[in-house]
């Protein structure tokens, strides 16, 4: 059995990987013009946060793996968010006949 | 022991490279279908990362929920809205991308600096290893019982909300007078309800 807290991988490696993934997600969220890609970027950011929680739970929390419980809840909320987001996207597409984010500007001032 | 540790390190490097390259592909590729399938690969690699962290239950949940549900839902949405359309060019798109890339790089630098300068309480207590599934079950039914029940209510609300939002309103009879509705009115092409203000 590999003991992760004494393995060769430091905690910081997981955290840096998660921050890279989060920043890629933020960039995609800002710059995507396709609404489906915006939802995908949100999923990437949620996964980055999950990696953080899992790494902390494994390295710092010992036998109280609270991070893993939180990750399960985040996965639940992400599934609900994806379902509602895609339903909103479908009804937007039905009304505007496009998925271009630049044309969803009804509330722009 | 050394072979096990090096195997773990090599697995981490491979999974990390797949995650980063795959997510760059998700964001940067032009074809949205390729993006969706790459996203599935990224989710699978993240599940592998969870296995490296001795969390088999969360890895299974990740594969079931993300790859099995969310990714399939995204692919279905792409199939429903995948119309080839020429996106109208907008002014200063390059500049906008450049500035937002700079902001994201600054955010990345900030996060990495926080990672590296914080004194983590290392080495922490010994990891529980494969007993994590039992421990998650104990947590869910004792001290995290209320969030667990709230999550079930949230999932029910999301399901009903998604059905209501995505449903097409077609009624065969008038709701007030109970008369048959002329089907041609329903079948005719619907004008967009919201006026396009992008031009």
């Amino acid at each position: 059995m590999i003991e992760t807290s004494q393995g060769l991988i430091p905690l910081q490696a997981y955290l840096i990987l998660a921050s890279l993934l989060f920043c890629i997600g933020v960039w995609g969220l800002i710059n995507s013009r396709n609404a489906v890609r915006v939802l995908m970027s949100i999923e990437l950011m949620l996964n980055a946060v999950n990696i953080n929680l899992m790494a902390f739970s494994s390295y710092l929390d010992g036998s109280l793996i609270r991070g893993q419980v939180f990750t399960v809840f985040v996965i639940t909320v992400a599934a609900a968010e994806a379902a509602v987001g895609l339903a909103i996207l479908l009804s937007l597409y039905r009304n505007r006949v496009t998925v271009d984010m630049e044309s969803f500007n009804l509330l722009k001032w | 022991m050394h072979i096990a540790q090096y195997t773990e390190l090599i697995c981490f490097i491979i999974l990390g490279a797949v995650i980063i390259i795959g997510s760059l592909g998700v964001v940067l590729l032009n074809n949205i279908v390729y993006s969706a399938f790459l996203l599935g690969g990224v989710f699978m690699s993240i599940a592998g990362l969870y296995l490296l962290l001795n969390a088999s239950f969360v890895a299974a949940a990740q594969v079931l929920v993300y790859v099995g549900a969310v990714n399939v839902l995204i692919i279905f949405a792409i199939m429903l809205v995948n119309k080839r359309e020429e996106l109208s060019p907008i002014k200063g798109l390059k500049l906008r991308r450049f500035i937002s890339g700079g902001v994201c790089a600054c955010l990345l630098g900030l996060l990495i600096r926080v990672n590296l300068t914080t004194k983590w309480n290392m080495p922490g207590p010994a990891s529980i290893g494969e007993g994590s599934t039992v421990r998650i079950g104990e947590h869910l039914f004792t001290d995290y019982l209320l969030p667990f029940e709230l999550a079930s209510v949230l999932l029910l609300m999301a399901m009903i909300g998604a059905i209501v939002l995505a449903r097409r309103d077609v009624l065969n009879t008038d709701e007030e007078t109970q008369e048959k509705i002329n089907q041609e009115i329903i079948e005719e092409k619907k004008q967009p309800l919201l006026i396009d203000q992008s031009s």
Side-chain angles (χ1 to χ4, degrees):
Chain A
M1 192 69 248
I2 308 165
E3 197 62 51
T4 6
S5 55
Q6 288 149 17
L8 284 179
I9 311 169
L11 170 64
Q12 282 87 349
Y14 285 99
L15 299 186
I16 288 173
L17 180 66
S19 21
L20 267 169
L21 191 56
F22 188 81
C23 289
I24 292 171
V26 171
W27 194 86
L29 182 69
I30 299 171
N31 282 302
S32 301
R33 296 193 63 187
N34 192 326
V36 183
R37 205 186 295 261
V38 171
L39 286 168
M40 290 190 204
S41 305
I42 294 175
E43 300 296 332
L44 285 183
M45 290 162 66
L46 283 165
N47 269 292
V49 174
N50 280 348
I51 291 176
N52 253 358
L53 287 171
M54 295 293 290
F56 282 132
S57 148
S58 174
Y59 279 82
L60 299 176
D61 208 19
S63 60
L64 288 170
I65 37 168
R66 285 168 289 196
Q68 297 193 15
V69 184
F70 274 95
T71 305
V72 172
F73 286 131
V74 172
I75 287 176
T76 313
V77 174
E81 174 260 344
V84 175
L86 289 170
I88 291 173
L89 176 69
L90 280 187
S91 71
L92 260 180
Y93 180 74
R94 209 171 287 146
N95 283 325
R96 300 298 286 263
V97 205
T98 178
V99 285
D100 186 8
M101 289 302 282
E102 296 293 327
S103 63
F104 301 149
N105 52 3
L106 199 69
L107 290 180
K108 197 169 164 184
W109 48 276
Chain B
M1 193 62 190
H2 278 291
I3 291 176
Q5 283 184 346
Y6 280 112
T7 313
E8 196 190 358
L9 185 67
I10 289 169
C11 286
F12 178 78
I13 291 171
I14 292 173
L15 288 173
V18 170
I19 289 172
I20 296 302
I21 294 170
S23 56
L24 279 175
V26 168
V27 171
L28 294 175
L29 280 182
N30 273 326
N31 194 337
I32 190 87
V33 182
Y34 294 161
S35 296
F37 282 104
L38 271 179
L39 189 71
V42 172
F43 288 158
M44 289 295 277
S45 318
I46 291 173
L49 218 56
Y50 293 167
L51 282 182
L52 274 186
L53 287 169
N54 281 330
S56 45
F57 175 74
V58 186
Q62 168 92 8
V63 172
L64 283 177
V65 176
Y66 270 114
V67 185
V70 173
N71 204 25
V72 170
L73 202 63
I74 286 175
I75 290 172
F76 268 112
I78 289 171
M79 284 196 275
L80 286 175
V81 301
N82 193 14
K83 189 181 66 173
R84 289 242 168 262
E85 56 181 325
E86 287 301 317
L87 297 178
S88 56
I90 43 176
K91 270 190 311 184
L93 187 64
K94 284 259 170 61
L95 181 69
R96 205 197 285 188
R97 294 200 160 159
F98 187 71
I99 292 175
S100 57
V103 171
C104 289
C106 291
L107 178 65
L108 179 66
L110 178 75
L111 288 174
I112 287 180
R113 184 174 158 76
V114 169
N115 284 344
L116 296 181
T117 53
T118 307
K119 290 270 181 288
W120 302 110
N121 188 16
M122 294 284 284
S127 175
I128 186 172
E130 282 303 311
S132 60
T133 308
V134 177
R135 187 56 57 87
I136 289 176
E138 287 171 9
H139 273 307
L140 281 184
F141 284 100
T142 54
D143 45 352
Y144 290 98
L145 184 63
L146 182 64
F148 181 70
E149 300 292 339
L150 279 181
S152 61
V153 176
L154 177 80
L155 282 177
L156 180 68
M157 280 161 49
M159 187 177 73
I160 296 174
I163 291 171
V164 169
L165 279 171
R167 181 180 64 165
R168 200 183 281 273
D169 284 321
V170 178
L171 299 175
N172 282 324
T173 55
D174 195 309
E175 276 190 332
E176 290 173 6
T177 60
Q178 302 297 324
E179 291 172 352
K180 286 276 185 192
I181 289 177
N182 186 1
Q183 287 292 323
E184 289 173 6
I185 300 174
I186 300 172
E187 299 292 331
E188 77 179 342
K189 190 174 176 296
K190 267 176 87 175
Q191 293 295 321
L193 293 178
L194 308 172
I195 304 142
D196 193 354
Q197 296 176 335
S198 58
S199 58

